[in-house]
Amino acid sequence: MKKIGILFGMEDTFPAAFIERVNEKNEKGIIAEAVSIDKVIQNRPHEYAVIIDRISQDVPFYRAFLKNAALTGTNVINNPFWWSADDKFFNNCLADTLGVPLPKTVILPSAEHPTDTTAKSFRNLAYPLDWEGMFDYVGFPAYMKPYAGGGWKNVYRLENRDEFWQKHRETGQLVMLLQEEIVFDSYFRVYCLGRKAVRIMPYEPRNPHHLRYVVDNPVTDKKLLATIKDYTLRLCNGLGYDFNTVEFAVRDGIPYAIDFGNPAPDAELTSVGRENFDWVVEEAAKMAIGFAKKHKSGQMNLRWGDFIKQSAALPL
């Protein structure tokens, strides 16, 4: 019997619906359940062929468990090693190489010295930094947000330099991005599962959370939607995420990738709505079953993005 597990935290609707949908399909020799952990012993395989990870970004113990599981044969979605390594700035750099339009972005050192460092730790930084060069490149209004993290935490919209200096001081030891504001004509949030199933959802980030998927005038431009799908697949294949969302702000007909490293994206019924929820549940179930069928006991399961596979093929 091959088990598909889902590891989750405060979610209420998606985990139960996922488990139910997998089991409804009644695939021979495959069942789904909530992951149960009673101990984690080094290099000892766990009982799951596949685990859908929805919580380890917040629980380091789970991250360690999942890395051990991946090394000993479980297909963990998404790759726990890659998710531990990437950040929004690197993702932007990679997206640029993939030919996906992006807001102009720079990375900023933290306003406060990290714990256990002093000014001597930063002797390689020019003083002062070329702030004017960065401001001229990005422009104002601009957004400032952490280079790692999500959930719209510590995100600021800045009108000018004075606001930047005021807000940057408040960010403490966080490393921040300063990013061009894209004044958009339309906005989309796009689900991508298994690096092939794509669902483009009109989205209004300025609405209250429960109304963000409620859009009065959905875009039907086939060329634009095809471009968004193409960019979504480029990003998810490049990064190696099997369960991801990508957000695009469309300005003058050009979709700019705003946020695209979300390997535990919101899938709650109350926020995404019934039709989107049913699609995510169905595609997640099909993806997990497909991986379970290919699973071979004891075989390491680390699925990387295209850029890592290409780099690994280069001669030393």
Side-chain angles (χ1 to χ4, degrees):
M1 181 66 68
K2 292 184 177 181
K3 287 187 177 182
I4 296 170
I6 184 165
L7 187 68
F8 59 97
M10 297 179 68
E11 288 182 292
D12 291 321
T13 55
F14 175 72
F18 169 79
I19 292 168
E20 181 180 11
R21 187 68 188 112
V22 172
N23 291 331
E24 281 177 349
K25 289 181 176 292
N26 198 29
E27 293 282 348
K28 184 178 180 180
I30 295 175
I31 62 169
E33 65 182 32
V35 170
S36 178
I37 305 167
D38 62 357
K39 60 182 175 296
V40 182
I41 297 175
Q42 63 185 8
N43 203 34
R44 183 173 295 180
H46 217 274
E47 58 185 316
Y48 297 99
V50 178
I51 293 177
I52 304 288
D53 172 24
R54 303 286 297 164
I55 186 60
S56 76
Q57 75 277 7
D58 294 327
V59 183
F61 170 79
Y62 285 157
R63 180 58 54 86
F65 158 73
L66 290 171
K67 288 179 179 179
N68 187 65
L71 282 171
T72 55
T74 300
N75 195 322
V76 180
I77 303 169
N78 286 290
N79 183 335
F81 290 91
W82 176 230
W83 196 357
S84 298
D86 79 336
D87 60 66
K88 292 183 182 298
F89 188 66
F90 174 79
N91 289 353
N92 266 38
C93 298
L94 177 61
D96 196 33
T97 70
L98 296 173
V100 177
L102 300 158
K104 297 174 183 176
T105 305
V106 297
I107 191 168
L108 310 171
S110 55
E112 297 178 3
H113 293 153
T115 302
D116 296 328
T117 66
T118 69
K120 291 182 68 176
S121 306
F122 295 89
R123 287 180 286 182
N124 295 99
L125 281 182
Y127 184 82
L129 293 174
D130 184 9
W131 294 107
E132 290 303 316
M134 288 187 273
F135 295 156
D136 289 343
Y137 172 69
V138 172
F140 286 99
Y143 280 91
M144 184 168 61
K145 58 187 180 182
Y147 92 115
W152 283 87
K153 298 175 183 176
N154 305 107
V155 176
Y156 304 86
R157 183 180 183 276
L158 309 171
E159 290 284 352
N160 49 51
R161 290 165 170 77
D162 291 337
E163 283 195 10
F164 169 82
W165 293 120
Q166 175 191 347
K167 297 299 184 183
H168 189 240
R169 284 193 295 270
E170 296 176 7
T171 60
Q173 295 186 17
L174 293 174
V175 176
M176 305 296 286
L177 302 180
L178 186 65
Q179 190 167 79
E180 171 191 13
E181 179 183 45
I182 303 295
V183 180
F184 56 86
D185 309 308
S186 56
Y187 200 98
F188 297 89
R189 198 159 196 251
V190 186
Y191 256 105
C192 185
L193 275 76
R195 307 192 212 176
K196 58 183 179 181
V198 173
R199 184 170 181 85
I200 301 173
M201 304 173 291
Y203 188 75
E204 178 46 80
R206 296 166 293 198
N207 282 350
H209 192 74
H210 67 290
L211 296 176
R212 289 181 181 177
Y213 293 90
V214 179
V215 179
D216 294 332
N217 298 305
V219 174
T220 57
D221 184 329
K222 291 184 178 180
K223 183 177 180 180
L224 173 62
L225 296 177
T227 299
I228 289 172
K229 181 177 181 179
D230 173 48
Y231 288 166
T232 297
L233 291 171
R234 286 194 212 181
L235 290 168
C236 292
N237 278 295
L239 289 166
Y241 284 144
D242 290 302
F243 200 137
N244 194 17
T245 55
V246 181
E247 294 184 15
F248 292 97
V250 181
R251 181 178 68 186
D252 299 329
I254 299 173
Y256 292 84
I258 301 297
D259 189 39
F260 44 91
N262 296 294
D266 180 15
E268 283 293 275
L269 173 60
T270 51
S271 57
V272 303
R274 171 56 67 182
E275 289 186 8
N276 295 327
F277 179 80
D278 288 345
W279 184 91
V280 173
V281 169
E282 177 66 19
E283 292 301 328
K286 290 194 296 188
M287 174 180 65
I289 290 169
F291 286 151
K293 287 180 176 179
K294 296 176 184 177
H295 175 263
K296 294 180 180 179
S297 180
Q299 179 176 301
M300 189 182 300
N301 280 290
L302 296 176
R303 306 178 75 239
W304 297 94
D306 289 346
F307 85 99
I308 287 184
K309 289 189 289 187
Q310 291 165 3
S311 297
L314 295 174
L316 295 176

